[in-house]
DNA sequence: TAACTATATTAGTATACGCTTATATTAGCA
DNA sequence: TGCTAATATAAGCGTATACTAATATAGTTA
């Protein structure tokens, strides 16, 4: 029941350092401590990046923009995805806020382009899919 | 005279299973069609990958595992994150299902390790953060 | 001016998510 | 046999998410 570790980390406000324990008591007992080297801010930023693309509509939107070169306007994305205009606008907006799309205004249009972060992300996804070599089936 | 945006989308990647984007050569507006070259299966797989890491608990779990080399057991992760044991187990399980962690059983422990896909993903995130040092060690 | 197109924003809502708690299972050890 | 540690699983629940529909705001053209 009260098997809660209660390591007393709740409500912390330290925003820029590794907080986890680092007592590497390995060898005998297994449960020592592990740690990573990410600041809280970077962690939050990465999670936001991933959560943003971790949605079908937004991911496909990003793919569409990245696939075309030279910029894509929102109205071009709309007919390709089976969701409402509002949804597309929200998707583009969030992708932009997450630093995955650049945005430039031109007349009544808005042109979007993938950022380097987005492009490298997509590239890794393409390069590490289990069935990357074209074979069908693949994993599972 | 028509102030058409830089259209010129041609060559609609006639891949195997891009389902949407009817590409019905619309009227004179800007809104033609764009397309990406991803199959529905790959799309789904990528989104699942991203949605899995796009959560604080799971992302931090993955970071902890990836930071240590040689495998980490669940009980080592537990004290580092301020969530219950059940939450950690669910996180590790989902990361494994998403092909981001390998898992091997040893006695009463389960050892996890980051897959290449996970490692390259983390590497890109590290290398493309806005505040990343100019070094940009990300090779990928 | 009005009409029209592209986009943004808002409210409302059904659903999915992520956690906790409790319980079950599995493995080592006294 | 217990007993304990590590892990898995399930129900329950508060909250966040991702849409739609309606409306508002720009910019363009007639």
């Amino acid at each position: 029941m009260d098997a809660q570790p209660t390591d007393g980390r709740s409500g912390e406000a330290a925003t820029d350092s590794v907080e986890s324990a680092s007592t590497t008591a390995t060898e005998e007992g297994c449960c020592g401590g592990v740690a990573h080297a990410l600041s809280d801010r970077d962690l939050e930023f990465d999670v936001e990046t991933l959560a943003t693309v971790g949605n079908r509509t937004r991911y496909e939107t990003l793919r569409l923009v990245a696939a075309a070169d030279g910029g894509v306007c929102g109205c071009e994305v709309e007919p390709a995805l089976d969701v409402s205009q509002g949804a597309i606008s929200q998707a583009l907006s969030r992708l932009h806020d997450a630093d995955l799309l650049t945005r430039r205004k031109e007349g009544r249009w808005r042109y979007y382009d993938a950022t380097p972060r987005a492009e490298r992300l997509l590239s890794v996804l393409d390069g590490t899919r289990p069935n990357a070599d074209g074979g069908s089936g693949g994993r599972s």
Side-chain angles (χ1 to χ4, degrees), chain A residues 15-99:
Chain A
T15 61
D16 58 77
S17 62
V18 184
E19 69 295 312
S20 351
S22 48
T23 353
T24 331
T26 15
E27 296 285 358
E28 284 296 291
C30 134
C31 309
V34 286
H36 57 74
L38 268 181
S39 76
D40 199 71
R41 195 187 62 237
D42 288 348
L43 209 93
E44 218 72 77
F45 181 71
D46 287 353
V47 168
E48 178 55 29
T49 294
L50 297 162
T52 296
V53 271
N55 160 265
R56 170 89 188 218
T57 296
R58 289 190 296 266
Y59 184 62
E60 208 165 353
T61 296
L62 178 59
R63 277 285 175 189
L64 289 168
V65 173
D69 42 326
V72 172
C73 86
C75 61
E76 285 178 288
V77 173
E78 215 178 313
L81 300 187
D82 198 24
V83 292
S84 70
Q85 178 269 321
I88 303 270
S89 176
Q90 288 159 9
L92 287 165
S93 222
R94 179 150 176 199
L95 285 164
H96 173 256
D97 289 349
D99 195 44

